[in-house]
Amino acid sequence: MTDPTPALSARRPSRRLGRQGLVQLLLLALLLALPVAADLTGHPYYVTLASRLTLIAMAAVGLNLALGYGGMISFGHAAYFGLGGYVAGIGAFHAFDMTPFLGGIPGSDNLLVLWPIAMLACGLLALAIGAVSLRTSGVYFIMITLAFAQMVYYFANSWPTYGGQDGLPIYLRNQLPGLDTQEPLTFFLICFVGLVLAMALTSRLMGSRFGAALTMARLNDTRLATAGISPTPIRLVAFVISAMITGLAGALYADLNGFVSPSMLSWHLSGELMVIVILGGVGRLYGPLVGAALFIGMETLLGGLTEYWQLFLGLTLLGVVLFARQGVMGWLAGREPHA
Amino acid sequence: MPEAVLALEGLHKRFGALAATDDVSLTLRPGEIHALIGPNGAGKSTLIAQIAGSLRPDAGRVLLGGVDVTGESVAARARRGLGRSFQVSSLAEPLPAIRNVMIAVQALAGHSFRFWKPVARDPRLVEPAMAALERMGLGHRAATPVAELSHGERRALEVACALALRPRVLLLDEPMAGLGPEGSAHLTELLERLKAEVPILLIEHDMEAVFRLAERISVLVAGRIIAHGDGDTIRRDPQVRDAYLGD
């Protein structure tokens, strides 16, 4: 055989828009249609709920890159979610107060300024945490990422300038030129675009050479090293990108709530993000969205009936772990095709 | 005599009181297969780990193409042209066979920090990988996940992965392990054709294959090389017969 591509592409056409493609399209359409319908019928509460779902999903998309695609079980992604939130909060605080940050940097309420700063800050934090944590693996990696996140949590708790444990309010949502971010549907659409871009980036990354190396680092790092590619730098870069996505979601989340507090940094949130990724399907592109929808759905529907709604979340998680190793996304869309 | 592509100089490795590698020196020259044989527990795996870079020797040097690589990592040695296969297959089970080979082609083509262009249809990765698969008779299995390959096919795939690196040296750790007589004969043929291109350090239990393939044989017993020479010399050596060949 001289041209090898036909053999490889034989399965491709059906995959272009097979069952998985349909399910994915349907999920996105639902996520877009429900808040638009809620807005038209005058239920802004549901628009805000959809924004929340979208941002939690986006944070989990970030975690999924490290946990799902990279096999790095980070129990500390709240650190990046919260740091992103604090960047939005601190920027707004200084812009509102007309005071400089750290004695020199002016505050800003422009999202086009705040977002890159949030991502940069999270990237740098993840670079430092990852460089140390990736010297370990398995349970030690889980524990060390948790320990670092807890350090950030206690730091925020004890920094009185920005509210300490009471948190920091954002009185006016940060601004995006030409758009009214106070408008719930406009803000939802910003979040929606963010989520779609994060998923598109993940998909593109995982199809690239970098993605091939990251996949091999997860499946068999001896094979990767034997081929001449050191696994650790590959993992570290994935960890940093993962943190930046989660951090951007955190910045948006603080603006959505008009409030940022250490609870955005707490290990509960790290755990919830992990639960969402596992529920939806580890290493599945749409897994985080499905997981977040389940999580927020159960919280909203069952949380109104009983404060023990997490019992049902736990049971669902148990079911998924025992019976659907590819998560709910695997159950909806079938096994992930490789190639 | 041509310069050795791989040379071990006085390697020592101790685990507590056990001298797992005890003053081992050997060379591999272009165009040859040098076989390393020895009974279980002789220290073959420890020696391989030191050559590949996953274990540091206590003393001595490993030279690849005349360069001292004793302090270098597994990945760095691979980039210098050391290809290897494992005693127990080390492949990414869920991925198609070709993906396992493509990662080697990708490593050879340069760094892996390319984030955008899809690899699935990149002819610069697919074509060399396909060529390596075909050399090992696996062309028709390119799209099959490793988990669905037979044991023999996996052994061949390991060699294909190593070949895709265009190595200057091949380190094959018991490539015949677990193959039936037919598979073993088939692989022997493949290796025979290969050695003109890449010199091979062959660690193997299958004596028939070793005597057929190897120009030189070294016998490792209790961490030491007790005999060295061509097939006939080894077959006649009384020490070897006593320690290893078992009669």
Side-chain angles (χ1 to χ4, degrees), chain A residues 1-5 7-9 11-12 16 200-201 204-216 218-220 222-231 233-234 237 241 338-339, chain B residues 73-75 78-79 82 84 86 90-92 94-96 98-100 103-104 106-107 109 112-122 124-127 130 134 139 143 145 158 161 165:
Chain A
M1 189 170 18
T2 49
D3 178 16
T5 35
L8 287 174
S9 53
R11 286 199 239 147
R12 284 188 79 87
R16 275 285 165 215
L201 176 74
R204 194 82 202 195
L205 272 183
M206 291 317 296
S208 74
R209 290 188 181 199
F210 175 76
L214 184 63
T215 303
M216 196 54 84
R218 180 189 79 221
L219 292 172
N220 189 336
T222 310
R223 167 60 49 206
L224 189 66
T226 303
I229 301 170
S230 305
I234 299 282
V237 169
I241 298 172
H338 284 287
Chain B
S73 70
V74 173
R79 285 194 293 272
L82 177 68
R84 71 168 293 194
F86 294 83
S90 184
L91 298 158
L95 295 186
I98 195 166
R99 279 304 172 104
N100 282 271
I103 202 79
Q106 174 175 327
S112 290
F113 293 102
R114 285 163 202 269
F115 300 94
W116 205 245
K117 195 163 181 257
V119 293
R121 312 244 245 168
D122 185 344
R124 285 171 305 171
L125 297 181
V126 174
E127 279 165 18
M130 203 62 201
E134 271 164 16
E158 284 245 329
C161 290
L165 279 175

Side-chain angles (χ1 to χ4, degrees), chain B residues 29 32-35 37 210-219 227-237 240 245:
Chain B
R29 300 191 208 111
E32 78 167 345
I33 291 183
H34 187 155
I37 62 173
V210 166
F211 286 123
R212 181 171 159 198
L213 284 169
E215 273 75 18
R216 295 190 291 155
I217 299 172
S218 296
V219 184
H228 170 89
D230 61 19
D232 287 339
T233 315
I234 295 300
R235 256 190 279 247
R236 280 196 300 266
D237 190 301
V240 176
L245 295 175

Side-chain angles (χ1 to χ4, degrees), chain A residues 235-249:
Chain A
R235 288 200 179 105
L236 184 57
V237 169
F239 191 74
V240 167
I241 298 172
S242 152
M244 289 167 81
I245 296 173
T246 301
L248 181 60

Side-chain angles (χ1 to χ4, degrees), chain A residues 163-177:
Chain A
Q165 60 184 356
D166 297 331
L168 188 63
I170 300 174
Y171 296 111
L172 271 178
R173 219 171 249 173
N174 291 308
Q175 298 302 307
L176 201 60

Side-chain angles (χ1 to χ4, degrees), chain A residues 21-113:
Chain A
L22 277 176
V23 169
Q24 292 176 342
L25 212 61
L26 196 68
L27 285 171
L28 277 189
L30 266 177
L31 179 61
L32 191 58
L34 290 180
V36 170
D39 190 66
L40 289 176
T41 53
H43 294 88
Y45 166 76
Y46 289 105
V47 181
T48 303
L49 189 69
S51 301
R52 183 151 164 259
L53 190 164
T54 306
L55 293 178
I56 294 289
M58 185 175 162
V61 166
L63 177 62
N64 197 26
L65 183 60
L67 190 157
Y69 293 102
M72 295 171 276
I73 305 176
S74 166
F75 195 2
H77 259 51
Y80 314 112
F81 192 69
L83 179 61
Y86 267 96
V87 169
I90 291 171
F93 172 83
H94 288 291
F96 190 78
D97 258 20
M98 308 269 230
T99 50
F101 172 66
L102 288 182
I105 309 159
S108 172
D109 62 354
N110 186 342
L111 287 169
L112 293 180
V113 174

